[in-house]
Amino acid sequence: MLHDLHICPDYFYQDDHRTIFTILEEMVKNGKTIDLLSVTETLMRKGLLNQVGGTVYVSKLTDYLFPYANLKQHVLCLAEMSLKRKLLIETAQLERLIYEGEDLEIVTNQLHKSQKEVDQILTRNQKGMSTSEVLKLSLDLLAQRTFADKSNSVIGVPTGLNSLDRLTNGWQKSNLIILAGRPGMGKTAVALNLFGLEALRAGCDVLSTRLKCQQHNSWIG
């Protein structure tokens, strides 16, 4: 849940809240159950319990639990306040450099640095993949295709053309396939009677739409 929402310790203003969240995140990664007792014990074992306010303070945090349905909105509020704090800090830094009479080049460099850091905060919530995750996914896909080649099977949606299936292993997720040709050459017939029919046989849903344009609008200058 924490990873899906992409929360990070920097979202929290207080140091003790950052520490508690870091412990929660670590427990989630290790597959441990999160409750008041387990969190308190983990903080105590790491020597952080007194630093975050002790057992009483940690237990009081449970008094502020909110409905799960509002979780996403709460995280967005945290992210917004974190961004505002970051903007205040970066603005103050620029203001200090200007009032101290620093060269324009130094101020400009600091401005570019601040913009980069703010951009990182803005894009943090966009779900992405780490390099190791991308590498693992690529290796898994390569292993699947190797097995498919050896067993003469297709891991994607069959195209109906054996030679094309051998090259592509069928249509893959996120593929955009463009079948181009002049009018009257049978593009629709091939798409529906060959590709569409094979997809239906493979148990896939097929959506067919057709757009028509006037003859004088079909020319590209």
Side-chain angles (χ1 to χ4, degrees):
M1 180 177 63
L2 297 178
H3 301 297
D4 291 339
L5 292 172
H6 295 275
I7 312 172
C8 67
D10 290 342
Y11 282 3
F12 299 92
Y13 176 70
Q14 296 181 208
D15 290 338
D16 49 358
H17 290 176
R18 294 177 188 170
T19 301
I20 293 173
F21 175 80
T22 302
I23 294 298
L24 294 175
E25 192 174 35
E26 181 181 314
M27 292 175 67
V28 170
K29 289 180 179 179
N30 294 331
K32 296 182 178 179
T33 302
I34 293 181
D35 55 36
L36 181 58
L37 180 60
S38 61
V39 173
T40 303
E41 288 182 345
T42 304
L43 287 167
M44 183 182 299
R45 188 173 64 255
K46 292 181 175 292
L48 299 171
L49 185 58
N50 291 332
Q51 179 180 324
V52 300
T55 305
V56 175
Y57 182 76
V58 175
S59 63
K60 282 185 177 179
L61 291 177
T62 60
D63 296 336
Y64 302 99
L65 293 177
F66 44 85
Y68 178 79
N70 299 334
L71 180 59
K72 187 174 181 179
Q73 185 61 37
H74 188 75
V75 172
L76 291 176
C77 289
L78 282 175
E80 181 180 346
M81 297 306 296
S82 174
L83 177 59
K84 288 180 179 179
R85 290 196 301 271
K86 186 64 178 177
L87 288 173
L88 284 173
I89 293 173
E90 297 298 334
T91 302
Q93 176 75 355
L94 288 171
E95 185 179 20
R96 182 184 63 80
L97 291 175
I98 293 173
Y99 277 115
E100 289 179 354
E102 294 289 354
D103 293 339
L104 181 60
E105 182 179 358
I106 296 177
V107 177
T108 303
N109 290 338
Q110 179 62 38
L111 175 60
H112 292 160
K113 180 182 176 182
S114 300
Q115 288 176 335
K116 184 177 180 180
E117 291 181 358
V118 171
D119 287 341
Q120 290 176 348
I121 296 175
L122 289 173
T123 57
R124 186 177 292 158
N125 270 339
Q126 297 179 2
K127 191 170 184 178
M129 300 177 68
S130 64
T131 303
S132 59
E133 290 174 330
V134 173
L135 181 59
K136 183 179 183 302
L137 184 63
S138 300
L139 290 175
D140 290 343
L141 181 59
L142 180 60
Q144 291 176 13
R145 292 192 172 184
T146 302
F147 176 78
D149 290 340
K150 292 181 179 179
S151 59
N152 293 323
S153 58
V154 177
I155 62 174
V157 178
T159 65
L161 299 173
N162 293 333
S163 57
L164 183 57
D165 285 340
R166 284 195 295 270
L167 293 173
T168 64
N169 270 300
W171 306 130
Q172 306 296 322
K173 291 182 179 179
S174 76
N175 279 171
L176 172 63
I177 310 299
I178 299 177
L179 187 62
R182 292 178 59 82
M185 295 186 68
K187 300 185 297 297
T188 302
V190 171
L192 292 179
N193 299 327
L194 183 60
F195 300 151
L197 206 56
E198 285 296 321
L200 288 173
R201 289 172 180 168
C204 300
D205 295 327
V206 176
L207 171 64
S208 174
T209 61
R210 190 174 183 180
L211 301 178
K212 283 288 187 178
C213 61
Q214 299 295 327
Q215 187 174 3
H216 63 274
N217 290 329
S218 61
W219 293 91
I220 300 178

